[in-house]
Short mmCIF file of all heavy atoms in Angstrom, two decimals:
data_model
loop_
_atom_site.label_atom_id
_atom_site.label_comp_id
_atom_site.label_asym_id
_atom_site.label_seq_id
_atom_site.Cartn_x
_atom_site.Cartn_y
_atom_site.Cartn_z
N THR Y 158 24.63 -10.58 0.54
CA THR Y 158 25.14 -11.39 -0.57
C THR Y 158 24.53 -10.98 -1.91
O THR Y 158 24.73 -11.65 -2.92
CB THR Y 158 24.84 -12.89 -0.34
OG1 THR Y 158 23.41 -13.07 -0.31
CG2 THR Y 158 25.43 -13.37 0.96
N SER Y 184 -0.55 -24.96 -3.65
CA SER Y 184 -0.34 -23.92 -4.65
C SER Y 184 0.70 -24.36 -5.67
O SER Y 184 0.55 -24.13 -6.87
CB SER Y 184 0.10 -22.61 -3.98
OG SER Y 184 -0.81 -22.27 -2.96
N ILE Y 279 2.02 -12.91 8.72
CA ILE Y 279 3.22 -12.07 8.63
C ILE Y 279 3.48 -11.62 7.20
O ILE Y 279 4.50 -11.01 6.90
CB ILE Y 279 4.47 -12.77 9.21
CG1 ILE Y 279 4.77 -14.06 8.45
CG2 ILE Y 279 4.29 -13.04 10.70
CD1 ILE Y 279 6.12 -14.67 8.82
N GLY Y 342 3.30 49.13 19.43
CA GLY Y 342 1.98 49.76 19.39
C GLY Y 342 1.12 49.20 18.28
O GLY Y 342 1.53 48.30 17.54
#
Side-chain angles (χ1 to χ4, degrees):
Chain Y
T158 63
S184 307
I279 60 170

